[in-house]
Amino acid sequence: MRPWNPYAAGCPTRLVLDRVADKWAVLVLGLLTGGPVRFNRLRREIEGLSQKMLSQTLKSLERDGLVSRQAFPTVPVTVEYSITPLGQTLTATVDALRVWGERHMDEVLAAQRRYDAGAEPPRALASSPAI
């Protein structure tokens, strides 16, 4: 196996990091873990995600081998997306970001309010690790 160095500017692992750091990709992968999902359902379930952005996100995930696309010959054409075996190896890690956000959002919002107000952070929080 080739040793990759994501700290090097030209390392291709940065492309993967860009993909999984994208909020839309994280949300799409999270929904696909439950099984195949049609395009329009993805669009309805992920509020704020435009049709164009969903299409771009799905194409990128498909290109990376994380998602597969299947079209059914209906009128209009029905398109369904599934997570691939490679994508499944990533879902636990990616979903952990969503779970972390849900668990710590109140703390993050409180920190933002303190910062915006120019207040000093509490001592206990200032010395705790970031993750």
Side-chain angles (χ1 to χ4, degrees), residues 2 12-13 30 33 39 48-49 51 60 62 69 74 78 82 84-86 89 91 94 96 102 107 121 126 129:
R2 181 178 176 178
T13 59
T33 59
F39 182 91
L49 176 57
Q51 182 171 338
S60 296
E62 185 179 10
R69 177 186 188 273
T74 58
T78 301
S82 303
T84 64
L86 179 61
T89 66
T91 58
V94 169
E102 290 174 356
E107 294 168 75

Side-chain angles (χ1 to χ4, degrees), residues 17 22 29 36 46 48-50 57 63 65 68 72 76 83 85 87-89 91-92 96-97 108 110 124:
L17 293 173
D22 177 72
L29 288 171
I46 305 173
L49 176 57
S50 70
T57 300
R63 182 172 184 258
S68 64
F72 298 95
I83 196 157
Q88 288 174 343
T89 66
T91 58
L97 294 171
V108 170

Side-chain angles (χ1 to χ4, degrees), residues 4-5 14-15 28 39 43 46 50 69 73 78-79 81 92-93 95 108 112-113 115 118 123 125-126 128 130:
W4 298 103
N5 179 4
R14 287 189 177 192
L15 300 173
V28 166
F39 182 91
R43 199 177 75 187
I46 305 173
S50 70
R69 177 186 188 273
T78 301
V79 179
Y81 292 88
T93 301
D95 202 47
V108 170
Q112 289 175 349
R113 285 190 296 271
Y115 181 90
R123 294 263 187 236
L125 291 178
S128 57

Side-chain angles (χ1 to χ4, degrees), residues 25-44:
V26 170
L27 296 173
V28 166
L29 288 171
L31 285 176
L32 293 178
T33 59
V37 181
R38 291 183 178 176
F39 182 91
N40 284 326
R41 180 171 165 222
L42 288 168
R43 199 177 75 187
R44 283 191 308 271

